[in-house]
Amino acid sequence: MMKSLLTSTVLGLGLGVVSFANAAPVTHLGGDITEKQVLEAQQAWGEALVAIANKYEEKGIEAATELAESVIDSAYGYDIGPVLFKPTLAAAPQTFRSTPEGALAYFVGHSDEFPEDSGFALRGWQEVTVDNAAIFINGDAALTMGNVSMVDSDGNTTTVDKSWGYQLDEDNNLRIVLHHSSLPFSN
């Protein structure tokens, strides 16, 4: 389970809170994935985002980068194949991040290959709330869609529309294979 892979990284660091706003409708068409596994994977992602932000504040970019690499290796399915990752604040021509290097650049910046990235995970995140609109589970894959709200160290909240796709890997760990994030539409 992805959460167990991340636990040693994020537990005991005095992290902020990761919570769920409400219960979402769940469609389960069979297979080995449970709703609990999906929720744990989302919680682990939120905890990891807070851990990277805290590591950056406490120990700098090298430590944050090392932690982010570990999180990407354990949470995302780049070893399964290209991950369908569209970050919130990525723009053409580097909108999509199908490689671990692209994901790392988005989370911590400091990349010559992705000079526009400033490090989304370095923004002082202290709390993450997941509000799933729905969860769809079928076989060894699961999809979610909803909102993720993140509170920074100044108390400012950023809410994004988020879709995740998960796949069980050969060790039965839930891995992110689709991550789409965008800012909500506003007039």
Side-chain angles (χ1 to χ4, degrees):
M1 185 69 226
M2 181 177 66
K3 182 165 175 75
S4 65
L5 294 173
L6 295 174
T7 301
S8 63
T9 305
V10 297
L11 285 182
L13 296 176
L15 302 178
V17 175
V18 178
S19 61
F20 292 90
N22 61 30
V26 177
T27 300
H28 199 297
L29 299 178
D32 294 330
I33 298 174
T34 66
E35 177 186 4
K36 181 179 182 225
Q37 284 177 296
V38 172
L39 296 176
E40 286 175 346
Q42 291 176 324
Q43 180 175 351
W45 185 90
E47 289 172 353
L49 184 67
V50 171
I52 294 166
N54 287 341
K55 184 69 76 172
Y56 176 66
E57 290 297 319
E58 295 167 6
K59 300 204 175 185
I61 189 60
E62 286 184 30
T65 299
E66 185 178 311
L67 177 56
E69 286 174 332
S70 175
V71 167
I72 290 166
D73 287 346
S74 64
Y76 289 82
Y78 286 105
D79 58 338
I80 298 170
V83 171
L84 310 175
F85 182 12
K86 192 285 179 192
T88 311
L89 302 174
Q94 297 178 316
T95 303
F96 305 105
R97 305 303 172 88
S98 60
T99 67
E101 296 80 18
L104 182 64
Y106 183 72
F107 284 119
V108 297
H110 298 83
S111 169
D112 293 337
E113 290 181 50
F114 298 88
E116 299 298 316
D117 289 349
S118 60
F120 183 78
L122 307 181
R123 295 180 173 211
W125 305 120
Q126 300 299 306
E127 182 179 329
V128 176
T129 301
V130 177
D131 184 9
N132 288 307
I135 299 171
F136 183 90
I137 302 169
N138 188 15
D140 61 357
L143 301 170
T144 69
M145 182 179 283
N147 296 112
V148 174
S149 297
M150 297 153 289
V151 179
D152 68 19
S153 57
D154 294 328
N156 300 311
T157 300
T158 300
T159 299
V160 298
D161 297 335
K162 179 89 66 187
S163 298
W164 275 304
Y166 299 95
Q167 176 73 41
L168 282 176
D169 69 11
E170 62 187 24
D171 296 322
N172 239 13
N173 296 311
L174 211 52
R175 306 290 292 280
I176 300 168
V177 294
L178 174 126
H179 173 160
H180 182 279
S181 184
S182 57
L183 293 170
F185 174 77
S186 64
N187 291 343

